[in-house]
Amino acid sequence: MSLTAGIVGLPNVGKSTLFNAITKSKVLAENYPFATIEPNVGIVEINDPRVDELVKIYNPRSVVRTTFSFTDIAGLVKGASRGEGLGNQFLSHIRNVDAICHVVRCFDDPNITHVDGSVDPSRDIETIQLELIFADLEMIEKRIPKIEKKAQLKVDDEAVTEYDLLLKLKEHLLKGKPARSLTYSDREVLLLKHYQLLTMKPVVYVANVGELDVVKGNAYVDEVKKIAIQERSEVLTICAKIEEELADLEPEDKAMFLAEMGLNESGLDRLVKTTYYLLELATFLTAGEKEVRAWTFKRGMKAPECAGIIHTDFERGFIRAEIMSFDDLMKYGNVAKVKEAGRYRIEGKDYVVQDGDIIYFRFNV
């Protein structure tokens, strides 16, 4: 299960600098609007210390970590939903991602141009938000007339549900509120999946600050946090400049640099954790002399579904799952001692997989 996140924001807020840092790529990051026209895509390995510990125990021939795909989407401007600044092209790129990382400028620098002439996080967020809302409204307004008659005649229950949902959504969006801030029934959630609404996608606001504000934040960051609370989003404070410097350091030097800054982990690691939380994702592990591997799954998935992430045959012929937790393996030291302690379990098809489970799937096709 591959995770994709789109990095969006106004021009010159630090999107491409952040992208350079987290993917160790060197894409164009210049001080003028639309330096990025085609989206740059980078795939990074997710830093999971549990994988490193399993490698020490099993000394495998192969190590495979989970990955995170970042798409650096060009700076949106006012009128993007109507095609301003190549906006329609950019909006189409956003539809293909699982989550949105909205970079917001939260620093003052007279040498870096702001498209609106001043730093104002609330205004900047509203600009991007409205363009995404307008794009969603356009899609909904095209759909409503196509099902209106069928819904009003009440000959199709699903059409009635969809029609009522679209009217509710339209009213909500017209108030300038994102679709994700509404509450939906399970049936409505299923219907909404077909639309790929931009404002339904979970958002992490990345407050890009100067070096001196990376630990404590500033008044600009406080503005962003207020908005995030209202719409059920998350906020991450980072300094894209620092992240770019970290990208070129060796692990030991990176740890020392972070400690000097008063940080426990890099912005990328925090961004991954935050996005995983928003998307309700977790990681299970497989381990042996041949391979140690991390796998991403959706919280709530059962053992056969997780087996299917490895291979469809595993799910089709699922017999059982042999499981121990990573924490138990660390506590007892090896598999034999985990078994002696009665912590090695046999689970069936109804078992809900937990983050950090180390699993061996038994199957027969």
Side-chain angles (χ1 to χ4, degrees), residues 6 23 39 78 81 122 213 262 268 281:
T23 65
K78 202 171 289 184
S81 59
S122 298
D213 295 325
L268 172 59
L281 298 175

Side-chain angles (χ1 to χ4, degrees), residues 268-285:
L268 172 59
D269 291 341
R270 288 184 289 127
L271 182 58
V272 169
K273 285 181 181 178
T274 304
T275 311
Y276 260 52
Y277 169 77
L278 271 180
L279 292 173
E280 297 181 341
L281 298 175
T283 303
F284 74 86
L285 305 137

Side-chain angles (χ1 to χ4, degrees), residues 27 46 105 108 181 260 309 340:
V27 301
I46 295 173
R105 179 169 168 176
D108 292 305
S181 63
E260 287 175 2
I309 293 172
E340 284 175 17

